[in-house]
Amino acid sequence: MQQPHRFRWPLIHQKSLPLQYAFNSPQIDSPYADVVLHHRHHQHRDYYDDFARSEDEYDSSPSLPERRARTLASHPPASHASHSGAAPPQAYLEDYDYESITPEYTRSPLNYTSMETQRQAHCDVPQRIHTILDHPHHYSEENYSINQNRTTGNFGPNHDTVRNRRSDANPQWKPQPVSVRLRPVSELPDMFRSVFKFDVFNAIQSSCFDAVLHSNENMVVSAPTGSGKTVLFELSIIRMVTDPSSTNKATKCVYVAPTKALCTEKYKEWTTKFGSLGIFSCELTGDTAAFGKGVWGDAKNARIIVTTAEKWDSLTRNWDDHSRILSQIKLFLVDEVHILNESRGSTLEVVVSRMKARGSDVRFLLVSATVPNIEDVASWIGKNHASSDHSGQIFQFGDEYRPCRLNRFVYGVVKPRGQNDFAYAHTLDARLFAVLQQHAVGKPILVFCPTRKGTITTAKQLAKEYEETMKANQLLPWNMPLQIDQTFHDKDLAPLAALGIGVHHAGLTIGDRKSIEDLYLRKVLRVLLATSTLAVGVNLPAHLVVIKGVKLYQNGESKEYSDLDIMQMMGRAGRPQFDTEGVAIILCETELETKYRDLVQGTTPLESSLHTNLTEHLNSEIGLGTITDVKTAQEWLLRSFLYRRMQKNPQHYNIGKDDRQSWQDKVDSIVMDSIEQLRETGLVIYSPRDGELSSTEFGDIMSKLYIRHGTMKAILDLSPTASLREILETISASEELSDLKLRSGEKQVYEKIKRHNDVRFAVKKVQGTSDKVFLLIQAVLGGLPLNSAEYRSGESQLCLEALSVFRHVSRIATAVAEVAIIKKNGAQVKHGLELMRCLHARAWEDRPIVLKQLEYIGEKSIKILAENHISSIPKLLSTSPSRLEELLNRRSPFGSEVLLAANELPNYFLTLTEVKVSPSDGKSPVEVELSVECGLRLDKRVSTGSKKQKRGGFDMTTLLTITSDLVFIDFRRISTKVLRERKSFIINAQLTRPSQTINVSISSERIAGVSVTESFKPSLPTNKYPTLNTRPLTSLVSKMQIALHGLTSRRKWIWKGLKMLPIFGIWDLMTTTN
C-alpha cells in the first residue's frame, strides 16, 4: 500500500523565538509556510472577563501569538522583514538561554504565587514553560515523567520522579519555531464569510485550508482538544455546497458525534450559522423522533444531518428502504473518531465502512484527539471513493497547538490489598484536599466523582478539612463566599455552599442544579463536585480539574471510565474562552499509572472494538446484501480498521493466531466462527456447498429493529405460550438496558413501587438491573407520579431513567411480536402486540391511565373520571361535553375539545359473517370460512373542525385471529389511513374442540385502548367435532415431549399441525428411551 501523504506537526513542544526573528522551520513542508507563529505570554486578567463570548469564537480565532504573527506579516521589523527560510542571527541564538527560563519547583503551596511571579517575569519568552513536580507524573507538552527513581512524597511511596525528556534523551536538542501562513476569512466566497466570527483562521485551520476547501480527498486530522477543529467541518460543508464538480444540488452531509449532547450543540450552532444562507440543519437522534414525520423527520429537507453513530447505523440497516435520501449523502464528518477504542466504537467503524461500500462518491473527514497511529485510520478510509487502496491525507498536530496550555498530572495512590472500591473512594477523599492545596490558585475547581452519592461524601470531607485548615490559620485552596442568598431543595447543599462548595448531578432537582450552576458561574462557589455526565452536558469553566478515581460501579461490577470520558473530563480544564492555562489531575491506583500516563500523553494507540460484537454487525451486513457469501464476508473484514490493527497488535485482540497460520487463514477462521453462531441462532442460512449466505426472517428483524444478539436469542427462546409478564421480564433483562445500574440508595424507592396497587406484576426482591427496569416500566404504565417527592431518591430521578428505558423497550417489544408472528405462536402474538401498544402509549390499556393519551386529560382529571366510572376511551366518547365540564370543573367548550381529541383516535368497527362451516368426519377438524369486514367510523367534526390531526395517517392497524385457547389462525397488517374505506377479506380456520371460538381483534399498533374484538362460534352439535383421543400418554411419548421441549433452542423447524417441532435428534431420542 502506498505510504500516506502526511502533513505532521512535531509532537514535541517547540519554544518560539522573539517576534523580530521570524523564519521558516526547515521541518515544515508546506507551500504556504512563510509566517512564524509565536506563543503568547501570560496576561493575567479576570477569569471570566470574556465569558460572554462564544466558545467557537475562541476555539477558531487566532491566539495571541497568531495575531502578533499576523501583525508581523503586515509590519515586519526593518532588519528582518522577510526571512523566508532564513536562519536567525547567530549571535541571538548564542545569547538565548533555553534552560535558564525554567522556573524551579517548590513544593509548598505558599510559594505557588511566587512561582507564578517568576513565570510572569519571563514574559518575553515562550508561553510553554511548566512547573515540574518532583513526585507525580506530570505531562506538560515537552515534559513528562518516566517510571524511574521512585521516591517518597506527600502522597506515599509510589510516585515517580519527573525528568526532562529533552535533556535526557537528546542533550543537543534545540527547539524550532512553528511557521505557517494564516489564511484570512476573506479568501472564502462572500456569502460564507458571515459563518465565521473572526478575520483569520488559526494555525491548524490554515494548515488544512486548501486540502479541505479545494479538494475532495478524504482527510484525517489529529489535533488537541479545543484547537478549532469544528471550523474544518464548516469549511468542508462550504466545499460540498460550492463544489463545481457536483451535478446534484440536493447533496447532503452527515455529521456524526459521540454523544447526543454534542449533537444538540452542533445542531443549534449550525442552524444559526448556515440557516440564514438557506442551508438547513436537522438533528437526528433517539431523542428527536417526531410523531407523524417518519424515521427521517426533517432530514429530508435538510442539507446538514447531525446524528450519532448508533442512530445512523439503525437507519442505514434499512438501506434499500431509504436509498433515495442516502444517495444524496456526499460528505461524511466524524467527530472524536478516537471513540473507535470504546465498546461502542464498533458501531462507528461499521457505519463508516458501510458508507464507503454503499455510499455514492462520499467524502470523509475524520477528526481525532492526539493518537500515535492516526495513519491506520487514514489507511482505512482511503484517499477517495475511486482510490480506496491509497491512504487518506493526514494532518497531525501536537500539544504545542493547544490554545490553552494544559498541565497534566497522574497521582498513584496505593490501594491496600483486599480493599474494595467503596473503601478506596474514601482513601482518595482523604488525599484530595492536599492535592487542591498544592494546585489551586484561587481559580475555579471541578472534581469528578464516579457516583452521585460520592459527590456528597467527597464534598462533606472537603468541607470538614476546609474548616479544620481555617481554624489552624493555614493556607486555604479557595476563599469561602461572604454571603449566599439561596435556598435549596436538597438539605445537604446549603451548608456546603456556605463554604464555597457545590454539588451537581442528575439526582438533584432541576432547580437545585440551575442554582448551583449560577452560583458557580458567578464565582460564589469555587469548588464543584460532579459526576462524569457534566463533562458532556453543561459547559462550566474550570482552571483545575480532578478526576477522583477512574472506576465506577455498574451492574454489580467495577468498570473503568472509557477513554472518551477521561478526555472529556480533562477537557474541562483551562477552556480557552475562560482561561490562559489549565491543570488536569487523575487520581488512580498505582497499577494503573502507566495506562493513564500513556493516555494523557496521547501515546495510547487507537484500537478497534469490532471484534467484541462482530456477530451482530455481520448479521446486519448480510441482511443489507453487502455480504452475500463467505468470500464477501472475508473481504468485508479485510477492509475494516480491525484487520489493520490485528496485524500490528495481535496480542490486544487475543485472536489465537499461531505461527503456521497466515493472516488470510485467520480472517477466514474468524468469519466462519461468527457465521456459525448466527446459523445456530437461526439468524442466517449458510450453504456449505457454495458458501452462500442469506438472512432469515429472524435475522432481518434483529437487524432492522436494531436488536442486540443476546437480546434476540432470549426472544427466540421465549415459550410459545409466553404470558405478558414473561415477555415483559425478557425485555427488562435485555442487553440494551444492562447499563442502567441499580444503586444502593434506590432500593428503598423501588421497594415502595413494588407494593403499589397499580403495579400489575409483583417482584419478590429488588436485586438487580432487570428488577429495577421491570418495576420502572410498570410504574410508568400504571401512571405512578415518579416526579413526586414520594418517589424521589438522592441517588437518581426516576422519571429521567424511565425516559432512558422507553427509548428501547417499544422497539424490543416489536421484535417479540414480529418473531411470534413468524412462528405463529398465538399467545405470544397477542401479548406482544398488547405490550407494544401499551409501551407506545405509556399506559396499560385496561386501566383508566389509558386516557392520558388525550391532550387535555391530566393525572388529576383521570382520577376524577375513574371515580365516576369513565375509565376507557369508549366510555369517554359516550359521555356528553357538559357532563365532562361538570366533572372536571371546566368551562365550555372544554368538553367538546376533549371529545374532539378522542375522536382523532382510530374508532374501529368489525363484523364477522359466516360463509361456510364444514363439520368433522370424526377425524379431521371443523372447517370454518368467515368473512371479515372492518374500517373506521369517521366523525365529521374531526375532518372539518380539528386544527391538527396527529393520528391516523401514519399509524398501522393489525388484525389478529386466534382461537379462544390462543391457537394462531391469521394475522394481517394494514395502514390505518386505508381503513377510511371499508375493507373485507376471508379467513379460513380449523376447530378441534366444541369449546373453541374464533376471536378476531382489530387494533392500532401504537395507540392503546381502541381495540375491537368480535367472536364467532359455529352452531354445531358436539358430535360434529373430531373425536378426542382420551387415552393416557405412554411413558415413551411423555419422555419424547419433555425432551423435545428442551430442544427448542435449536432453530431448524418444520410445521406440523399447530406445533413447532425440531427435526433433529428424534431417532436417537426414541432409541435411548427404551
Side-chain angles (χ1 to χ4, degrees):
M1 179 177 292
Q2 180 177 316
Q3 290 297 315
H5 171 64
R6 303 180 67 88
F7 186 91
R8 183 190 291 268
W9 293 103
L11 290 177
I12 302 174
H13 164 68
Q14 300 182 358
K15 293 181 179 177
S16 303
L17 300 179
L19 291 174
Q20 65 266 35
Y21 297 101
F23 63 96
N24 270 340
S25 167
Q27 295 179 348
I28 307 303
D29 179 18
S30 169
Y32 37 81
D34 58 5
V35 176
V36 178
L37 300 185
H38 294 277
H39 301 295
R40 67 177 179 261
H41 66 272
H42 293 291
Q43 291 188 343
H44 286 272
R45 54 179 171 81
D46 187 53
Y47 191 73
Y48 293 98
D49 279 351
D50 290 316
F51 180 74
R53 296 181 67 182
S54 70
E55 180 173 352
D56 175 70
E57 183 176 354
Y58 277 86
D59 282 354
S60 304
S61 61
S63 61
L64 278 173
E66 292 159 11
R67 286 180 232 142
R68 292 174 186 160
R70 193 169 70 227
T71 305
L72 174 66
S74 303
H75 307 285
S79 57
H80 304 285
S82 178
H83 286 280
S84 182
Q90 185 63 31
Y92 177 78
L93 288 177
E94 292 171 354
D95 293 336
Y96 196 80
D97 185 1
Y98 293 95
E99 301 303 322
S100 65
I101 62 174
T102 303
E104 296 180 358
Y105 165 69
T106 175
R107 183 180 305 237
S108 170
L110 288 167
N111 293 326
Y112 195 91
T113 304
S114 62
M115 185 169 56
E116 290 290 331
T117 306
Q118 293 175 29
R119 186 177 303 162
Q120 188 70 7
H122 295 284
C123 61
D124 59 333
V125 297
Q127 174 190 352
R128 311 300 187 177
I129 302 169
H130 308 286
T131 305
I132 311 296
L133 298 190
D134 64 351
H135 54 281
H137 292 304
H138 174 211
Y139 311 105
S140 190
E141 282 76 28
E142 76 271 22
N143 296 309
Y144 79 112
S145 54
I146 57 177
N147 193 13
Q148 296 178 12
N149 304 327
R150 288 186 178 270
T151 186
T152 301
N154 292 342
F155 298 92
N158 288 284
H159 298 291
D160 297 346
T161 299
V162 175
R163 293 165 59 185
N164 189 314
R165 181 176 185 178
R166 293 173 303 170
S167 58
D168 290 349
N170 183 4
Q172 302 302 318
W173 182 87
K174 290 291 182 182
Q176 297 292 332
V178 177
S179 62
V180 62
R181 181 170 73 88
L182 300 182
R183 309 298 285 267
V185 174
S186 58
E187 291 191 26
L188 295 175
D190 291 349
M191 68 176 292
F192 295 109
R193 295 175 187 174
S194 62
V195 171
F196 306 103
K197 302 175 184 178
F198 46 84
D199 298 325
V200 180
F201 294 105
N202 70 18
I204 290 177
Q205 298 153 4
S206 297
S207 302
C208 303
F209 186 87
D210 286 329
V212 175
L213 196 63
H214 301 305
S215 80
N216 286 322
E217 286 191 16
N218 297 335
M219 293 174 57
V220 181
V221 180
S222 174
T225 303
S227 53
K229 290 174 285 190
T230 295
V231 169
L232 301 181
F233 290 139
E234 293 164 351
L235 289 174
S236 67
I237 292 170
I238 294 172
R239 167 66 180 182
M240 178 193 74
V241 174
T242 60
D243 186 5
S245 64
S246 175
T247 57
N248 186 358
K249 298 303 180 184
T251 55
K252 301 177 185 291
C253 83
V254 174
Y255 166 83
V256 178
T259 63
K260 294 175 184 176
L262 188 54
C263 283
T264 301
E265 180 184 324
K266 283 293 177 282
Y267 164 68
K268 291 177 179 178
E269 182 180 341
W270 287 343
T271 296
T272 302
K273 287 186 174 184
F274 290 102
S276 60
L277 304 176
I279 303 170
F280 299 109
S281 304
C282 169
E283 184 181 358
L284 207 58
T285 65
D287 295 341
T288 59
F291 189 88
K293 291 191 175 182
V295 295
W296 288 98
D298 295 325
K300 290 182 178 179
N301 302 316
R303 299 290 298 273
I304 305 171
I305 299 173
V306 180
T307 187
T308 60
E310 290 77 12
K311 183 65 176 181
W312 196 249
D313 186 19
S314 67
L315 288 171
T316 54
R317 285 188 181 192
N318 301 284
W319 191 284
D320 292 339
D321 297 341
H322 313 302
S323 57
R324 187 185 66 81
I325 192 169
L326 289 172
S327 65
Q328 297 174 334
I329 306 297
K330 299 298 179 185
L331 177 62
F332 201 77
L333 310 172
V334 180
D335 206 349
E336 312 281 9
V337 74
H338 50 272
I339 71 162
L340 286 169
N341 255 341
E342 313 298 337
S343 58
R344 49 196 284 260
S346 61
T347 303
L348 177 61
E349 181 172 346
V350 166
V351 161
V352 173
S353 294
R354 186 178 301 152
M355 294 304 296
K356 282 176 57 185
R358 304 208 57 162
S360 175
D361 300 344
V362 181
R363 182 193 189 189
F364 293 87
L365 173 55
L366 283 59
V367 304
S368 167
T370 305
V371 291
N373 61 322
I374 200 69
E375 64 274 0
D376 291 329
V377 179
S379 171
W380 168 47
I381 65 166
K383 185 176 181 180
N384 52 46
H385 63 275
S387 182
S388 58
D389 292 335
H390 297 78
S391 291
Q393 198 169 6
I394 296 172
F395 287 82
Q396 189 165 7
F397 305 89
D399 267 347
E400 66 274 17
Y401 287 90
R402 184 181 294 277
C404 179
R405 188 182 79 200
L406 182 62
N407 300 320
R408 292 160 289 190
F409 303 84
V410 175
Y411 286 104
V413 179
V414 176
K415 181 180 181 181
R417 181 175 297 179
Q419 188 181 58
N420 62 37
D421 290 330
F422 297 105
Y424 183 65
H426 293 304
T427 302
L428 294 179
D429 287 342
R431 304 293 177 90
L432 180 60
F433 191 80
V435 172
L436 299 186
Q437 278 185 310
Q438 182 167 338
H439 292 281
V441 288
K443 292 184 178 181
I445 302 167
L446 184 56
V447 180
F448 286 107
C449 303
T451 65
R452 297 172 184 177
K453 186 176 181 179
T455 59
I456 294 290
T457 304
T458 305
K460 289 180 177 179
Q461 176 67 26
L462 285 179
K464 176 185 174 183
E465 294 191 52
Y466 188 91
E467 290 176 329
E468 292 173 352
T469 305
M470 189 164 51
K471 290 177 182 177
N473 288 323
Q474 296 176 357
L475 179 71
L476 296 170
W478 69 87
N479 295 324
M480 63 184 294
L482 297 177
Q483 183 180 0
I484 293 184
D485 297 323
Q486 184 72 50
T487 58
F488 300 97
H489 181 273
D490 192 308
K491 63 181 186 300
D492 289 325
L493 298 181
L496 293 171
L499 296 175
I501 302 172
V503 171
H504 191 290
H505 59 72
L508 299 175
T509 64
I510 294 176
D512 281 355
R513 290 204 304 270
K514 292 294 183 184
S515 297
I516 292 291
E517 291 166 16
D518 179 61
L519 290 171
Y520 184 73
L521 291 173
R522 291 196 287 117
K523 299 189 288 185
V524 176
L525 300 179
R526 307 302 286 164
V527 183
L528 185 62
L529 295 100
T531 52
S532 61
T533 52
L534 183 68
V536 294
V538 183
N539 188 11
L540 298 177
H543 169 79
L544 170 62
V545 166
V546 180
I547 302 174
K548 187 191 73 76
V550 294
K551 293 182 179 178
L552 64 163
Y553 191 75
Q554 196 168 18
N555 302 318
E557 62 178 336
S558 182
K559 296 181 179 178
E560 289 182 57
Y561 287 119
S562 69
D563 291 353
L564 179 62
D565 288 338
I566 294 290
M567 298 306 290
Q568 285 177 325
M569 287 187 277
M570 290 177 60
R572 288 296 187 190
R575 300 302 293 256
Q577 70 271 43
F578 304 123
D579 210 347
T580 57
E581 67 174 356
V583 179
I585 298 171
I586 297 176
L587 302 181
C588 66
E589 293 90 333
T590 50
E591 56 268 23
L592 294 175
E593 280 184 87
T594 302
K595 173 182 176 178
Y596 287 98
R597 178 192 342 170
D598 293 341
L599 179 63
V600 301
Q601 263 306 95
T603 57
T604 301
L606 194 60
E607 301 291 354
S608 171
S609 60
L610 180 59
H611 60 296
T612 58
N613 46 13
L614 179 62
T615 304
E616 288 177 16
H617 293 300
L618 264 178
N619 177 73
S620 65
E621 298 306 317
I622 292 170
L624 267 171
T626 305
I627 294 174
T628 56
D629 52 30
V630 173
K631 182 180 178 182
T632 53
Q634 292 163 352
E635 291 172 349
W636 176 81
L637 188 58
L638 288 171
R639 292 193 300 267
S640 67
F641 182 65
L642 170 64
Y643 178 66
R644 283 160 176 78
R645 290 305 304 160
M646 272 196 316
Q647 296 177 86
K648 295 184 177 181
N649 191 10
Q651 293 80 12
H652 175 81
Y653 299 94
N654 192 25
I655 58 176
K657 175 183 174 293
D658 57 51
D659 296 336
R660 296 169 296 177
Q661 200 175 24
S662 68
W663 279 108
Q664 182 65 54
D665 291 339
K666 189 59 194 178
V667 167
D668 296 351
S669 172
I670 293 172
V671 167
M672 286 309 302
D673 288 345
S674 296
I675 289 172
E676 185 59 26
Q677 289 182 47
L678 293 171
R679 189 193 64 78
E680 287 183 352
T681 321
L683 300 173
V684 300
I685 298 171
Y686 169 56
S687 172
R689 182 174 55 84
D690 54 10
E692 186 176 328
L693 292 168
S694 60
S695 184
T696 66
E697 290 175 293
F698 300 139
D700 285 339
I701 291 170
M702 174 180 159
S703 175
K704 293 185 177 181
L705 291 175
Y706 211 66
I707 305 297
R708 293 191 183 175
H709 186 238
T711 302
M712 193 66 189
K713 188 177 185 303
I715 292 172
L716 290 168
D717 287 339
L718 272 170
S719 166
T721 58
S723 64
L724 190 63
R725 176 181 182 130
E726 289 172 326
I727 294 173
L728 190 55
E729 285 176 336
T730 299
I731 293 173
S732 300
S734 61
E735 286 185 12
E736 287 82 347
L737 301 171
S738 61
D739 288 341
L740 198 70
K741 55 188 174 182
L742 176 65
R743 302 176 180 89
S744 58
E746 294 178 331
K747 289 187 178 181
Q748 187 176 357
V749 175
Y750 282 99
E751 287 291 334
K752 192 179 295 183
I753 292 174
K754 183 183 76 172
R755 295 189 294 269
H756 198 282
N757 291 333
D758 288 324
V759 171
R760 176 171 290 189
F761 305 117
V763 174
K764 289 184 179 179
K765 189 176 181 181
V766 183
Q767 293 181 315
T769 296
S770 60
D771 295 327
K772 171 178 176 174
V773 174
F774 187 64
L775 289 173
L776 199 54
I777 293 172
Q778 292 189 77
V780 173
L781 298 184
L784 273 66
L786 297 181
N787 268 324
S788 68
E790 182 183 4
Y791 298 108
R792 190 172 294 130
S793 163
E795 285 289 291
S796 64
Q797 286 188 313
L798 271 60
C799 55
L800 296 179
E801 294 198 313
L803 188 65
S804 173
V805 167
F806 273 79
R807 291 189 186 117
H808 299 283
V809 290
S810 299
R811 190 180 74 253
I812 301 171
T814 302
V816 172
E818 295 295 334
V819 166
I821 291 166
I822 294 169
K823 289 185 175 182
K824 299 185 177 180
N825 294 335
Q828 196 176 333
V829 175
K830 177 181 181 295
H831 296 137
L833 290 174
E834 180 183 346
L835 193 55
M836 268 178 63
R837 295 191 296 272
C838 293
L839 292 174
H840 278 297
R842 303 195 179 191
W844 292 119
E845 63 180 354
D846 56 353
R847 304 282 175 92
I849 190 66
V850 75
L851 297 176
K852 72 180 288 187
Q853 295 173 100
L854 300 176
E855 185 177 356
Y856 302 99
I857 303 296
E859 186 179 315
K860 292 182 180 178
S861 298
I862 290 171
K863 186 176 181 180
I864 294 170
L865 292 173
E867 289 171 351
N868 289 273
H869 311 292
I870 303 173
S871 56
S872 67
I873 292 171
K875 287 182 180 179
L876 181 74
L877 286 169
S878 64
T879 306
S880 67
S882 58
R883 176 61 174 161
L884 291 175
E885 290 160 0
E886 178 188 349
L887 290 174
L888 301 179
N889 194 25
R890 302 293 293 272
R891 295 180 179 179
S892 178
F894 175 79
S896 299
E897 290 174 344
V898 169
L899 293 177
L900 197 64
N903 273 299
E904 285 184 352
L905 305 180
N907 189 0
Y908 297 110
F909 71 84
L910 180 68
T911 57
L912 306 181
T913 306
E914 178 184 318
V915 177
K916 182 180 179 182
V917 176
S918 303
S920 171
D921 58 4
K923 295 182 180 179
S924 60
V926 174
E927 301 284 346
V928 178
E929 187 176 328
L930 284 178
S931 173
V932 179
E933 192 172 34
C934 59
L936 288 172
R937 292 190 179 96
L938 300 177
D939 192 306
K940 293 182 180 179
R941 292 174 298 174
V942 175
S943 58
T944 58
S946 179
K947 295 180 182 178
K948 46 182 179 179
Q949 295 187 34
K950 299 180 182 179
R951 320 257 184 191
F954 300 92
D955 191 26
M956 296 296 289
T957 293
T958 61
L959 288 110
L960 173 64
T961 306
I962 55 177
T963 64
S964 52
D965 52 355
L966 304 180
V967 175
F968 183 90
I969 296 174
D970 186 85
F971 176 82
R972 295 163 193 258
R973 182 181 276 119
I974 189 171
S975 169
T976 304
K977 185 177 181 180
V978 174
L979 290 176
R980 292 176 182 273
E981 297 181 4
R982 187 181 299 255
K983 301 294 177 183
S984 61
F985 55 93
I986 299 295
I987 287 177
N988 293 300
Q990 295 181 334
L991 302 178
T992 57
R993 291 191 298 276
S995 60
Q996 285 182 312
T997 59
I998 299 171
N999 297 329
V1000 181
S1001 299
I1002 183 169
S1003 310
S1004 167
E1005 278 194 333
R1006 301 176 63 94
I1007 303 168
V1010 297
S1011 303
V1012 176
T1013 300
E1014 296 291 342
S1015 299
F1016 174 82
K1017 186 174 183 179
S1019 302
L1020 288 176
T1022 304
N1023 61 2
K1024 297 298 182 180
Y1025 284 84
T1027 305
L1028 295 177
N1029 184 358
T1030 59
R1031 291 178 298 175
L1033 292 173
T1034 65
S1035 175
L1036 171 63
V1037 174
S1038 298
K1039 289 180 180 178
M1040 284 183 63
Q1041 287 187 337
I1042 293 170
L1044 287 173
H1045 181 72
L1047 294 172
T1048 55
S1049 62
R1050 300 294 294 268
R1051 298 296 167 208
K1052 288 186 176 180
W1053 302 94
I1054 59 172
W1055 182 252
K1056 185 175 182 180
L1058 293 173
K1059 294 183 179 180
M1060 300 288 264
L1061 298 177
I1063 64 173
F1064 71 100
I1066 295 180
W1067 176 253
D1068 292 339
L1069 176 66
M1070 293 178 66
T1071 56
T1072 56
T1073 52
N1074 290 328

